[in-house]
Amino acid sequence: MRFSPPTAQKHTRRLDHWLRAEASTVRNPLRATVAFGGINGFLLIAQCWLLAQTLNATAIGHQPLESVRGYMVGMVGLFLLRAAINYVGQRLAFEAGARLRTNLRARLFAKIDELGPGWSRNQRSGDLATRIVDGVEALDKYVSLYLPQMQLAVIIPVAILVFVFPADWVSGLILAITAPLIPLFMILIGGQTEKLNRQQWRSLARMSAHFFDLIEGLTTLKLFNAAGREARLVGRIAEDYRQETMKVLRIAFLSSMVLEFLAAIGIAMVAVYVGFRLMYGEMHFLNGIFVLLLAPEFYLPLRSLGSQFHARMDALGAVDPIIELLQTDAPPRPAIDSTTTLAGLSMSNGLSDIIFDTVDFAYPGGDPLFQKLDLTLPAGTVTALVGPSGSGKTTLGQLLMGFLQPTDGRIGIGTHDLNTLAKKNWHAHIAWVPQNPTLFLGTLAENIALDPKPEGHEDALRTAAKNAHALDFIEQLPLGFDTVVGDRGQGLSGGEIQRIALARAFYKNAPLVILDEPSASLDPESERLITTAIARLAKNRTVLVIAHRLTSIETCDQIIYLDQGRIIERGSHPELLERNGAYAALFRAYEQAAP
């Protein structure tokens, strides 16, 4: 058997320490689980004693069953009491695991929210789902099964030895000597299992991520006849995962066989020794049968620990990516003032100018995108960003929404620095309409409101839908606002999905609206309806438009032409055409390309 190198042992100890720290958050139900398990063990000893008394009286003393009725009633009572205690203990263990799952998943979701879309768009969704779902489930088994059993594997055998030694000290010595062999072999075999479990979890994460990506792009793969090739690749990844799983199972079966063999040898030694002593009359039958009844129960907690030891191995294999996610550093931010309400940016108190003041930004490991960027979005005006792909339009919108942080400079919201504002407070003042909106499985009302208002919810919902030109087609549906749409808006057309997204913005009634060209890739009628709805939405609001269709920005108050993170031109549509610069050339090219 190979031993893990020192670095691997240190890593394992670090993971174990982290797991125990997580388990400390649910210590009360775990302690209660162990307490009930210990009580169950003592009741088991009492039950074996009553059974030994019954057998001794009937088999050796030839007494009638009437004379041992009390023992039999006591055994039945103890059996029922043990069943109830065992049920309560399992419920407490389940409660501990459920609390851990809930708390840990909440922390993982909070961490993903803290890291934001700027981080998550570079991650594979299937990998994250595996960490949050399967990985956390593996930790649940570690807490609810392994940790309680680890303590019971000490408490119950020690308690049994306390009663065995007075009955027969030699049998007690046999049990005490053979007992440590089980955890010793368990540790030796488990060292190899840990490495295999980590490989298995990596294979599972890889398979989940790739399969999720395949499902997302299934239409494209079908159209380009690439589905078969990707299916074969998934098959190879699944085969790798099967091989890793079978390696783990082989070790697990080997471990179980060794543990069962050692326990059987120990029980056989006690049985042979007790049998010979009974045959030669050197031991009282009552003591002998009592010891024989307790011998299998002595090894049972140790064998159970061996079975649950694989829950620890699973947890060690799954916890690495979870710790990696939790320890991922978010971009540094100044001290956040969570009490700021931004009253100056509310619809009722007027708007504030948004100022990019010498802002620098670079993606990690990349060249600077923005250097000393100066830009003002005047309150109550519409600003459009245009420029070639990769010029920084989307990044600027991400900076404004707070999902990315400037490496230098500041973004001012009136008198406030955006970096010092709590995201929740800032996002309450933003409505976002992307080019490809996301609708969730649920009713249209739920998809529009997302966070329903406490009063006047239905009226506000209808008003928002009407302003977005969505009310007509919603009312034509059999259930109206209660119509359930599929994931990603299945059942609705592209134009209808876009109008639902606009209805969200009207419903939220935020003073700042960010539009990522919501009229792109739509038919002329849908584009006309959405364009008029946007014009209505822009009234008395500060609007930033990331533009792709130039015909939709001719009426904007100012147009910003970006190229490689630099502002090349700025001004209104007529002013920029008159300058005959980069924007004018882009606009003429767009007109010539238009049908």
Side-chain angles (χ1 to χ4, degrees), residues 550 576-577 580-594:
L550 300 187
L576 293 177
L577 289 181
N580 199 27
Y583 174 80
L586 180 66
F587 187 79
R588 286 193 297 269
Y590 180 83
E591 283 188 319
Q592 292 173 3

Side-chain angles (χ1 to χ4, degrees), residues 13 61 118 128 155 179 251 261 351 361 368 384 403 410 486 508 592:
R13 286 196 294 269
L128 290 178
I155 295 172
I251 298 293
F261 176 76
L351 308 178
F361 177 78
F403 295 138
R410 67 185 292 272
K508 189 172 184 179
Q592 292 173 3

Side-chain angles (χ1 to χ4, degrees), residues 456-509:
H457 167 60
E458 293 78 9
D459 292 340
L461 204 63
R462 291 183 61 83
T463 301
K466 181 179 180 180
N467 287 333
H469 294 293
L471 185 60
D472 290 342
F473 84 81
I474 290 176
E475 289 183 333
Q476 292 175 5
L477 297 172
L479 299 178
F481 283 96
D482 294 326
T483 300
V484 176
V485 295
D487 192 23
R488 299 182 180 274
Q490 184 179 4
L492 300 179
S493 68
E496 290 169 341
I497 292 174
Q498 203 64 264
R499 279 177 272 172
I500 294 297
L502 278 171
R504 282 178 183 168
F506 278 108
Y507 182 87
K508 189 172 184 179
N509 196 29

Side-chain angles (χ1 to χ4, degrees), residues 26-41 85-97 143-149 151-152 155-156:
V26 290
R27 62 166 62 93
N28 289 334
L30 285 181
R31 287 174 177 172
T33 300
V34 173
F36 277 100
I39 294 172
N40 198 13
I85 289 175
N86 185 58
Y87 172 77
V88 174
Q90 290 181 350
R91 291 294 301 174
L92 289 169
F94 175 81
E95 177 66 21
V143 171
S144 62
L145 299 179
Y146 172 72
L147 288 182
Q149 190 60 43
Q151 298 185 53
L152 292 175
I155 295 172
I156 295 178

Side-chain angles (χ1 to χ4, degrees), residues 171-194:
S171 296
L173 192 61
I174 293 173
L175 295 178
I177 292 174
T178 56
L181 295 177
I182 292 180
L184 175 62
F185 277 88
M186 180 178 67
I187 292 171
L188 292 177
I189 297 174
Q192 182 66 15
T193 309
E194 179 189 345

Side-chain angles (χ1 to χ4, degrees), residues 6 13 94 106-107 128 134 156 189 228-229 232 256 296 308 310 312 323 340 355 393 396 407 445 471 502 552:
R13 286 196 294 269
F94 175 81
R107 287 166 53 198
L128 290 178
D134 296 329
I156 295 178
I189 297 174
R229 182 195 65 201
R232 289 190 293 272
S256 298
Q308 303 306 339
H310 296 287
R312 173 181 178 269
I323 295 177
T340 303
I355 302 172
K393 302 187 296 295
L396 192 145
T407 52
L471 185 60
L502 278 171
S552 63

Side-chain angles (χ1 to χ4, degrees), residues 308-517:
Q308 303 306 339
F309 192 71
H310 296 287
R312 173 181 178 269
M313 294 295 101
D314 283 341
L316 291 176
V319 74
D320 249 341
I322 292 177
I323 295 177
E324 179 187 355
L325 175 55
L326 290 174
Q327 293 181 348
T328 301
D329 293 327
R333 299 187 66 180
I336 294 176
D337 182 7
S338 59
T339 62
T340 303
T341 60
L342 291 175
L345 196 60
S346 65
M347 292 296 295
S348 59
N349 293 294
L351 308 178
S352 298
D353 290 348
I354 299 173
I355 302 172
F356 289 75
D357 184 9
T358 62
V359 169
D360 292 351
F361 177 78
Y363 286 101
D367 295 329
L369 178 59
F370 294 129
Q371 290 182 304
K372 307 302 179 186
L373 177 71
D374 290 310
L375 174 63
T376 299
L377 308 182
T381 64
V382 180
T383 299
L385 297 178
V386 300
S389 297
S391 59
K393 302 187 296 295
T394 299
T395 300
L396 192 145
Q398 296 280 318
L399 286 168
L400 182 56
M401 287 186 282
F403 295 138
L404 299 175
Q405 310 301 323
T407 52
D408 197 11
R410 67 185 292 272
I411 301 176
I413 313 299
T415 59
H416 304 292
D417 187 338
L418 178 57
N419 272 352
T420 64
L421 301 178
K423 284 185 180 180
K424 184 176 181 180
N425 289 346
W426 174 231
H427 291 165
H429 296 78
I430 300 177
W432 181 52
V433 183
Q435 184 175 347
N436 298 302
T438 299
L439 297 191
F440 305 97
L441 178 63
T443 66
L444 289 174
E446 292 168 343
N447 270 284
I448 293 174
L450 294 181
D451 185 16
K453 299 177 181 178
E455 296 180 2
H457 167 60
E458 293 78 9
D459 292 340
L461 204 63
R462 291 183 61 83
T463 301
K466 181 179 180 180
N467 287 333
H469 294 293
L471 185 60
D472 290 342
F473 84 81
I474 290 176
E475 289 183 333
Q476 292 175 5
L477 297 172
L479 299 178
F481 283 96
D482 294 326
T483 300
V484 176
V485 295
D487 192 23
R488 299 182 180 274
Q490 184 179 4
L492 300 179
S493 68
E496 290 169 341
I497 292 174
Q498 203 64 264
R499 279 177 272 172
I500 294 297
L502 278 171
R504 282 178 183 168
F506 278 108
Y507 182 87
K508 189 172 184 179
N509 196 29
L512 173 62
V513 179
I514 300 176
L515 305 171
D516 187 358
E517 192 53 271

